[in-house]
Amino acid sequence: MDARFTAEQDEIRRTLRELLVKRCGPEELRAAVRTPAGYDPALWEALAQQLGLPGLALPEAYGGVGCSVTELALACEESGRALAPSPLLATAVLAAPLILALGTRAQRTELLPRLASGELTAALAVPGAGLATALGLVGDNRGDWAGDGRAGGVQARRAEGAWRLFGQAAQVLDGHSAGLLVVAAHTGGFARSRTLLFLLREGAQGLVRVRQTSLDETRPQARIELRDVDAELLGDDGSDVPTALAAVGDTAAAVLATEAVGAADRALERTVEYVRQREQFGRAIGSFQAVKHRLADVYVGVQAARSAAYYAAWAAGAGGERVGALALAQALEALRTAASEGIQLHGGIGFTWEHEAHLYFKRASGDELLFGPVHRLRGYAADAARLFDGGEVAV
């Protein structure tokens, strides 16, 4: 493994950071999350048309750039620094890889170029609060998380040669604004119980989408209600959906880890800048040894999380071991610590709505609710690796 970044990778980071500094400051961010879409369409157009971010990890044959997961992760690290609200995660990290892995040739040819260009956005809809389980991050995703024939999930039935969907899914990232929904649904009854993925287009009859209030406003979420909706099966009836979801989950965890590292790094930078300026007892509070020690601990945590995230991104792109969940756990913990210390060391102003320090804490907490929590990410990774077998450490 060569840990050095290429000139192209450095250029992606530099260009994206310059753009976000200019167009996604604190005021622009607050204005964007209040829009109906939950993000700035003009900024998304720039990210897609000028920088090609949605297609970074997609093959050139489908209109993508043909880069690896590492380039996409580095781009998300920069967007994480700015907490930039955009459909990049839902479209390029969750939905597009599933279409690439499971879709028919016709589906890939029709949808992937539009997703790569940013013309079309997509979202992955999973019943209940089971996104982390569906992606294989905190539990076996071959269970009954899609409904298992009971109320509360999403059911798919085939009648007269067409698939119909019933049920609802909550906490769907960008589900209220996405032009395409990839919906996980249970089908087959008791005899052939299985989970399949379906495509729903914007405006489908019987589809109701309601934006929900979320802890982290920079990650807009929606509740999807399906009332006898005509749907298109993604791929074929024999698709191995759990395996595809687990593969996408590992990549998504690695990308989310780098995004969290970017946010943690920026939160630490802001705190260091503040303690150098804020004076108490006639001197900058950053000169006090206790403050230095606290920030040094945060710095070590952020750097360790960055190393883990970069390795996870490289491993996901190279087909190596799946360590995305562990990297995500470490990154979320580093972000939560950096954000918490930032609020504490900013004093009273850090708790106010006018200051953006609390936004980083909400990002850490919101991501743990969606993709964690940290102890479950680590616990399932340990179980999968059989780290503890029969109460003893396996050698």
Side-chain angles (χ1 to χ4, degrees), residues 298-358:
V298 174
Y299 175 80
V300 171
V302 172
Q303 294 305 315
R306 174 176 279 117
S307 297
Y310 286 172
Y311 177 77
W314 171 83
E321 57 183 334
R322 294 184 175 181
V323 292
L326 286 174
L328 178 58
Q330 189 162 358
L332 289 178
E333 191 171 61
L335 174 55
R336 185 177 65 229
T337 301
S340 299
E341 291 289 3
I343 291 175
Q344 290 290 330
L345 293 174
H346 273 84
I349 193 175
F351 291 86
T352 63
W353 175 249
E354 291 75 18
H355 202 277
E356 54 266 30
H358 67 94

Side-chain angles (χ1 to χ4, degrees), residues 188-201:
F190 181 80
R192 288 193 64 205
S193 177
R194 64 198 188 281
T195 299
L196 295 176
L197 296 180
F198 296 87
L199 300 175
L200 288 182
R201 317 297 173 113

Side-chain angles (χ1 to χ4, degrees), residues 17 32 61 65 71 79 99 122 130 164 168 199 201 250 261 291 307 320 332 340:
R17 183 174 298 191
V65 180
E71 283 77 13
S79 68
I99 296 173
R164 314 291 296 184
Q168 73 173 30
L199 300 175
R201 317 297 173 113
D250 183 67
V261 165
V291 174
S307 297
L332 289 178
S340 299

